Amino acid sequence: MTEDDLRPLLREWEAPEPASAMDTRIRVAWRASVTPTPRGLGYWFTARVSVPVPILAALVLAILALLIELRPVPPVVRPQPGYVTRLGAAGFQPLPDGAARAVPMSEVKQ
């Protein structure tokens, strides 16, 4: 048989009617494949939200900017009046026991 011989046969052929139980089987299979929507508190644990990537990236950048802007900054220590905080290193001699001490301005020799 060639392709030309099959064309008239295919035009005459009629598809058989589906079985009456087929609709029922299709409905049962479809209901089994679709999961029911959880109710109550369980819904919040299984909910899905579609967010485009650029919006998600912008949100992450905004949160990072806020974290950087609001990070704790150590306080600036200002010297108390009457004390020298910087001296030249010329003639520096370390203390014999290695301890540091604060000297009032009135005791510093210029």
Side-chain angles (χ1 to χ4, degrees):
M1 286 185 106
T2 64
E3 192 173 315
D4 294 333
D5 296 336
L6 288 177
R7 285 183 194 257
L9 289 174
L10 288 175
R11 285 191 192 119
E12 293 175 13
W13 180 76
E14 290 183 19
E17 290 293 322
S20 60
M22 185 173 174
D23 289 338
T24 307
R25 286 193 320 238
I26 290 174
R27 269 193 229 108
V28 169
W30 181 77
R31 285 185 182 141
S33 69
V34 176
T35 57
T37 304
R39 309 256 179 201
L41 188 60
Y43 172 75
W44 295 106
F45 293 113
T46 59
R48 298 178 85 189
V49 178
S50 297
V51 179
V53 174
I55 292 174
L56 185 61
L59 183 65
V60 168
L61 288 176
I63 290 172
L64 283 175
L66 280 174
L67 288 175
I68 290 171
E69 186 65 30
L70 299 176
R71 73 180 186 275
V73 179
V76 177
V77 179
R78 302 199 189 281
Q80 296 177 354
Y83 290 94
V84 177
T85 57
R86 293 185 184 171
L87 292 174
F92 173 74
Q93 301 234 343
L95 296 172
D97 58 358
R101 60 183 180 170
V103 180
M105 190 69 164
S106 59
E107 292 182 17
V108 176
K109 296 178 186 174
Q110 296 293 334

